[in-house]
Amino acid sequence: MGLNRQKIILGSVFLGLPLAWLTFFVVFPILLVVYLSFTSYDILGSPKWIGLLNYEDLLDDDVFWTAVLNTAYYTIVTVPVGMALSLLLALFINRRLPGVGFFRTVYYAPVVAPLVTTALVWMLFYSETTGLFNYLLALFGFSPKQWLSSSTWAMPSVIIMSIWKGLGFNMVIFLAGLQSIPRELYEAASLDGAGSTRSFRYITLPLLAPSTVYVTITSIIASFQVFSQVFVMTGGGPNNSTTTIVHQIYRTAFVHLEVGYASAMALALFVILVAVSMVNLRLVARKEIYG
């Protein structure tokens, strides 16, 4: 009985601490956001129950829907382009080449760099007068661009920086998937006369399906939650051309102090992420891709 009691106590401690953390820092904030989304709350006073008015206002909020479209545009570009470039890098560093460890470190370095610091450095690159990119354009006879102050170029500028920042993480996931593929399959395909293109199509891509599903879902979620680079580089401008959903939630809650309305936006983002993830799983993570 004494030993069983000790097991119960130790089990309760080791299970209770993570459960308490999950309850207070995950479950409770989610429930609080759900409640606040049905209230009018400005932090300075007490929440006032208003029912579905926040959601009704959300349907007619042009800025919010602009943020949704901007986020969708950001996601549609960054996810496929970032995945394709990450896979190419993974294929390159998966070979036995001299100094391949150095290249792996270099490609992964942007991932561990602070995002705010990275955004500030890229702002220097995008400078209209002294920036590196306009200098390179001038060398080839092109006119300089207003990278961050133009409604046309601001979002592409943020997208380019974000793709560069996230290449290393997805590269590591793809590299792990590539290294788990048995070499015997490629040797057998080579004996059957299959070239590198056919081997990639019929061996590499199918067996990379689990890694591809993981990278796709995590990339989509991260893209819909983009905030820091927008906040630092453009502040959502010019003319809301780079405003994203999370950035608009931040402005609504902490600039305009409309916490209840911002909570409704957060729940809308949650619903969008769940819907997109379910569709992605149905389209990409089908049972047949796992054999």
Side-chain angles (χ1 to χ4, degrees):
M1 290 297 296
L3 181 60
N4 290 334
R5 184 175 300 176
Q6 290 180 359
K7 291 181 178 179
I8 293 174
I9 294 174
L10 288 175
S12 300
V13 171
F14 284 111
L15 291 176
L17 291 178
L19 184 61
W21 181 90
L22 184 68
T23 301
F24 286 106
F25 294 101
V26 178
V27 176
F28 176 71
I30 291 176
L31 296 177
L32 181 60
V33 168
V34 173
Y35 166 71
L36 291 177
S37 69
F38 296 100
T39 67
S40 175
Y41 180 48
D42 61 358
I43 299 180
L44 302 178
S46 300
K48 297 179 182 178
W49 184 268
I50 59 174
L52 296 174
L53 288 181
N54 283 330
Y55 295 96
E56 294 176 3
D57 293 340
L58 205 59
L59 295 176
D60 298 325
D61 191 340
D62 293 336
V63 177
F64 174 74
W65 290 109
T66 298
V68 172
L69 293 177
N70 289 338
T71 305
Y73 168 43
Y74 177 91
T75 302
I76 290 172
V77 177
T78 56
V79 172
V81 174
M83 289 179 61
L85 293 177
S86 298
L87 180 56
L88 288 176
L89 289 178
L91 290 170
F92 170 71
I93 65 174
N94 191 42
R95 300 180 179 182
R96 295 180 179 178
L97 299 174
V100 68
F102 169 77
F103 288 106
R104 292 178 182 179
T105 303
V106 170
Y107 293 147
Y108 191 76
V111 177
V112 299
L115 184 53
V116 173
T117 304
T118 303
L120 291 173
V121 172
W122 275 74
M123 287 181 67
L124 298 177
F125 292 160
Y126 285 132
S127 174
E128 298 176 17
T129 55
T130 60
L132 174 63
F133 295 140
N134 277 340
Y135 173 76
L136 294 176
L137 288 177
L139 287 180
F140 292 97
F142 294 99
S143 59
K145 305 296 183 183
Q146 296 177 332
W147 296 102
L148 299 178
S149 58
S150 168
S151 299
T152 302
W153 289 101
M155 182 58 81
S157 300
V158 174
I159 287 174
I160 293 172
M161 175 264 173
S162 300
I163 292 175
W164 175 85
K165 182 73 169 65
L167 281 180
F169 178 81
N170 292 337
M171 178 198 69
V172 170
I173 303 299
F174 281 128
L175 181 61
L178 289 172
Q179 293 182 345
S180 68
I181 300 176
R183 304 301 304 177
E184 293 81 3
L185 296 177
Y186 294 104
E187 294 173 0
S190 178
L191 292 175
D192 289 338
S196 57
T197 302
R198 291 174 62 86
S199 296
F200 177 77
R201 178 179 178 182
Y202 294 106
I203 298 177
T204 305
L205 283 182
L207 295 181
L208 271 182
S211 301
T212 303
V213 172
Y214 175 80
V215 171
T216 301
I217 294 177
T218 55
S219 297
I220 290 175
I221 293 175
S223 296
F224 270 91
Q225 294 178 339
V226 59
F227 170 74
S228 297
Q229 50 266 61
V230 172
F231 178 79
V232 174
M233 298 175 70
T234 65
N239 300 322
N240 292 322
S241 61
T242 58
T243 298
T244 59
I245 299 177
V246 176
H247 185 262
Q248 183 61 17
I249 292 173
Y250 162 80
R251 290 200 303 190
T252 303
F254 299 105
V255 177
H256 304 297
L257 298 182
E258 298 177 7
V259 178
Y261 191 40
S263 299
M265 292 182 183
L267 276 186
L269 174 61
F270 173 76
V271 171
I272 292 173
L273 285 175
V274 170
V276 171
S277 298
M278 291 180 65
V279 170
N280 180 70
L281 285 174
R282 185 172 294 272
L283 294 178
V284 182
R286 296 173 299 179
K287 293 183 179 180
E288 54 264 33
I289 66 176
Y290 296 101

